[in-house]
């Protein structure tokens, strides 16, 4: 588990070399960085604590708590937290392919449904995992989905509005961005936590296949009216099955909105591996117990991560696997201590 390290502002310089900016949010800037000793590339989310009010500080602590809790191949890993007097640095797994918003903006009419399905299934897989842990994201939007091109995956990030929920109990905090927010959040009502993520999933799927948001008018008050009336138009090129799934998620009444089980078993989402990530996530327990498939998967990961190439002979690969095993065991021992 990522531990919180206390330090002084210059300390990050000794541990990570900060490089170019990858993205910006309201309170944070996300930078590419390299670990000084290992050379490992990471993303560092730098939060200026002096600019945060009490509410934003609360969200920040919640973000750290939830990101430590959720560990899934389709969710960006939080490696460590460095807390200095004025800044908080979240050291994150680095996405190498930009975020989904920029990607969608490059496709005027949206992605092919085949590609949209591949990415959407992974986002649904991650949210389904979060909800099983009773964690609601509450700020799902394409900007918070990052591409991991080498792994062929997308991963969720930015748990700044996330929270724990108790099934059946309602939440009250209003959060998220207007264009992606469910009507009940905008009304300021008490709301059923998981249903607000389902609404945002509907907005994301719409954007993937249409290339633009479903509710985007000339000004905020018109956008708000369209959301409240649940008025949107799906372009003709979108298949009926996909339209139906969008319609099942973009329901004004949260009780009528599709559940995650319904989404996962919907006709449009069939024929796609919802967890291509799992095969890249073999737990390294003992190299002797590895099946042929796990062995090949580890080699594939080593090749993808530039640790090895395919020509490397088997003995050397086995030595590297044992070394990785030892490293992972000593890391686990360190993490639990
Ligand atoms: P917001 O104001 O929307 O809540 P934020 O301040 O919480 O944003 P993030 O959404 O976490 O910041 O990150 C801002 C941008 O930085 C993202 O949209 C994405 O482009 C980029 N980014 C974030 N995390 C990563 C990562 N792990 N790897 C690569 N890029 C990332």
């Amino acid at each position: 588990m990522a531990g919180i390290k206390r330090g002084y502002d210059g300390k990050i310089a000794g541990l990570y070399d900060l490089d170019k900016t990858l993205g910006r949010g309201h309170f944070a800037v996300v930078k590419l960085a390299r670990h000084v000793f290992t050379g490992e590339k990471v993303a560092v989310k730098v939060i200026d604590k002096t600019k945060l009010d009490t509410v934003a500080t609360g969200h920040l602590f919640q973000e750290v708590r939830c990101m430590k809790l959720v560990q899934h191949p389709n969710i960006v890993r939080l490696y460590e937290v460095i807390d200095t007097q004025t800044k908080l640095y979240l050291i994150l797994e680095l996405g190498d392919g930009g975020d989904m918003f920029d990607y969608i903006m490059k496709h005027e009419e949206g992605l092919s449904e085949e590609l949209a399905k591949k990415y959407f299934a992974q986002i649904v897989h991650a949210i389904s995992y979060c909800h099983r842990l009773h964690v609601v994201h509450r700020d799902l939007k394409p900007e918070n989905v990052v591409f991991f091109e080498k792994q062929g995956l997308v991963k969720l990030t930015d748990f700044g509005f996330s929270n724990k929920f108790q099934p059946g109990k309602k939440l009250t905090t209003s959060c998220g961005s207007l264009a992606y927010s469910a009507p009940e959040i905008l009304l300021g009502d008490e709301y059923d936590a998981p249903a607000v993520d389902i609404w945002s999933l509907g907005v994301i799927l719409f954007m993937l296949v249409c290339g633009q948001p479903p509710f985007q008018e000339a000004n905020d008050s018109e956008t708000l009216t369209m959301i409240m009336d649940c008025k949107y138009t799906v372009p003709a090129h979108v298949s009926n099955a996909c339209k139906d799934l969008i319609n099942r998620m973009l329901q004004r009444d949260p009780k009528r909105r599709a559940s995650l089980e319904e989404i996962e078993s919907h006709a449009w989402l069939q024929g796609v591996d919802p967890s291509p990530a799992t095969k890249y996530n073999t737990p390294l327990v003992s190299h002797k117990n590895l099946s042929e498939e796990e062995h090949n998967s580890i080699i594939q990961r080593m090749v993808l991560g530039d640790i090895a190439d395919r020509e490397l002979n088997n003995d050397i690969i086995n030595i590297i696997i044992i070394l990785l095993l030892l490293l992972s065991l000593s890391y686990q021992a360190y993490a639990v201590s």
Side-chain angles (χ1 to χ4, degrees), residues 22-30 42-45 47 63 76-77 92-99 102 139 141-148 157-161 177:
L22 297 169
R24 278 175 195 282
H26 289 104
F27 302 108
V29 49
V30 178
V42 292
V44 178
K45 184 163 171 174
I47 299 137
E63 172 170 17
V76 168
R77 281 293 293 269
L92 301 163
E93 185 183 12
L94 173 70
D96 56 357
D99 68 56
D102 289 342
D139 195 19
K141 53 185 180 182
E143 292 91 323
N144 290 338
V145 179
V146 181
F147 282 95
F148 283 68
T157 187
D158 192 0
F159 280 68
F161 283 127
S177 322

